[in-house]
Amino acid sequence: MRLVFAGTPETALPSLRTLIDSPRHDVVAVVTRPDAQSGRGRKVHPSPVAELAEEAGIEVLRPQKAGDPAFLDQLRSYEPDCCPVVAYGALLPQSALDVPKHGWVNLHFSILPAWRGAAPVQHAILHGDEIGGASTFQIVKELDAGPVYGVVTEEIRTSDTSGALLERLSVSGAGLLAATLDGIEDGTLEPRPQPADGVTVAPKITVPDARVDWAKPAMHVDRLIRACTPNPGAWTEFRGQRIKLGPVRPAPGEKLAPGELAATKARVLVGTATGAVELGEVQPQGKRLMGAGEWARGVRLEGKETFQ
């Protein structure tokens, strides 16, 4: 099939590579978000998907809006049979959805109808799900509500961050997306409506959402930090300065007041509502990521100091 692939971040790269390498499909163009500022220097860079497409000699389209008439004309000119989508990051109007013969097929990183929305992997970890996954479905006007072609599942490990889980799902999901497109081309695969029960929503987790509340149970603190790693980054305050936090570990038997810090030669502990946790890595404001022990020695903890 003739494909126009839509995607933006690194998460989409395994799928794009798989489709470029597929002998059954021809990626004739790529749609991605416009170049944006990134990195410490805030220089303008193309998206990861744009970079890969350009390396492969594939034309890249960067519409400000997917409903722009000029973009729709370009899209029609490619006469795509189908438009696979992985983390494109913008809404698709009906005028765009109507262009390809077989519609737009999205790879979404949850087992639909669970966790429709922008942050499915983060919410799966935050809410303690034991199984995650990815689904391919036909895009319709309602958010992530289209009929489903296929699903893959993945165990969510107790140590998983959203970054680690998403990396695994992006690889297994790439295989699912390719198999879905094969089935559409063969006429052997028909999407099935999502069940009405079990719908949950996964809105974007913002920086304020990522602030750790040490008065919560240790299990909640652990899940929040892992869900927010690497983005947007869990954080707390110490001596009026913001500190980013890496994943923590339970510290059975240790009792500290919520937010209270205690440092030994071997580890740094902080209290929660149900006991202490051990800090892993921290990143003080304006500084590099470092081990908790190195940070504690540098700040010279005095008395009963706390995270706020």
Side-chain angles (χ1 to χ4, degrees), residues 215-236:
K216 296 285 188 180
M219 181 180 293
H220 175 87
V221 170
D222 167 52
R223 289 175 180 171
L224 175 69
I225 294 174
R226 289 189 292 111
C228 294
T229 302
N231 294 309
W235 62 280
T236 190

Side-chain angles (χ1 to χ4, degrees), residues 126-194:
L126 181 61
H127 290 82
D129 292 1
E130 295 181 352
I131 300 294
S135 306
T136 48
F137 71 95
Q138 189 171 55
I139 295 179
V140 297
K141 188 173 181 180
E142 185 181 352
L143 179 66
D144 297 338
V148 173
Y149 285 102
V151 172
V152 292
T153 60
E154 179 79 33
E155 178 186 0
I156 300 178
R157 304 165 187 166
T158 56
S159 61
D160 267 335
T161 63
S162 62
L165 178 57
L166 187 57
E167 184 176 359
R168 298 202 304 275
L169 287 173
S170 69
V171 174
S172 60
L176 171 65
L177 181 59
T180 297
L181 296 173
D182 291 349
I184 292 172
E185 183 182 40
D186 293 340
T188 58
L189 189 60
E190 290 289 336
R192 295 184 177 183
Q194 295 183 34

Side-chain angles (χ1 to χ4, degrees), residues 13-308:
L13 296 185
S15 290
L16 179 55
R17 290 192 185 100
T18 297
L19 296 179
I20 289 173
D21 293 340
S22 171
R24 299 187 56 170
H25 306 294
D26 183 15
V27 181
V28 296
V30 157
V31 182
T32 192
R33 299 294 294 147
D35 297 354
Q37 292 180 335
S38 63
R40 287 190 174 183
R42 307 306 296 166
K43 293 183 179 179
V44 175
H45 295 281
S47 73
V49 162
E51 290 182 333
L52 177 56
E54 289 170 345
E55 289 173 6
I58 298 170
E59 185 169 357
V60 178
L61 310 179
R62 299 174 171 88
Q64 290 292 335
K65 293 183 179 180
D68 290 343
F71 165 69
L72 292 175
D73 287 342
Q74 280 184 300
L75 184 62
R76 293 187 191 101
S77 73
Y78 288 109
E79 299 181 346
D81 295 306
C82 189
C83 293
V85 185
V86 185
Y88 170 48
L91 294 176
L92 296 165
Q94 193 63 47
S95 56
L97 297 180
D98 291 340
V99 172
K101 177 182 177 181
H102 295 289
W104 296 65
V105 175
N106 191 27
L107 174 65
H108 181 76
F109 296 108
S110 80
I111 304 172
L112 291 169
W115 304 128
R116 296 177 181 175
V121 171
Q122 290 167 312
H123 281 274
I125 291 175
L126 181 61
H127 290 82
D129 292 1
E130 295 181 352
I131 300 294
S135 306
T136 48
F137 71 95
Q138 189 171 55
I139 295 179
V140 297
K141 188 173 181 180
E142 185 181 352
L143 179 66
D144 297 338
V148 173
Y149 285 102
V151 172
V152 292
T153 60
E154 179 79 33
E155 178 186 0
I156 300 178
R157 304 165 187 166
T158 56
S159 61
D160 267 335
T161 63
S162 62
L165 178 57
L166 187 57
E167 184 176 359
R168 298 202 304 275
L169 287 173
S170 69
V171 174
S172 60
L176 171 65
L177 181 59
T180 297
L181 296 173
D182 291 349
I184 292 172
E185 183 182 40
D186 293 340
T188 58
L189 189 60
E190 290 289 336
R192 295 184 177 183
Q194 295 183 34
D197 296 333
V199 175
T200 50
V201 180
K204 180 180 179 180
I205 295 180
T206 65
V207 172
D209 295 332
R211 183 172 188 168
V212 176
D213 182 354
W214 301 103
K216 296 285 188 180
M219 181 180 293
H220 175 87
V221 170
D222 167 52
R223 289 175 180 171
L224 175 69
I225 294 174
R226 289 189 292 111
C228 294
T229 302
N231 294 309
W235 62 280
T236 190
E237 284 192 354
F238 176 74
R239 297 177 184 170
Q241 298 260 320
R242 182 177 295 189
I243 294 178
K244 281 191 175 183
L245 302 171
V248 297
R249 294 178 290 275
E254 300 288 349
K255 293 291 185 180
L256 293 168
E260 182 181 353
L261 288 158
T264 68
K265 289 183 179 180
R267 57 184 182 169
V268 180
L269 305 177
V270 57
T272 74
T274 57
V277 293
E278 181 182 348
L279 295 180
E281 293 182 312
V282 301
Q283 186 173 11
Q285 191 169 336
K287 297 184 179 180
R288 62 177 175 81
L289 186 70
M290 63 185 72
E294 180 185 356
W295 168 78
R297 290 189 295 273
V299 298
R300 297 182 181 180
L301 294 177
E302 300 174 356
K304 286 191 175 182
E305 295 205 76
T306 62
F307 280 154
Q308 301 297 320

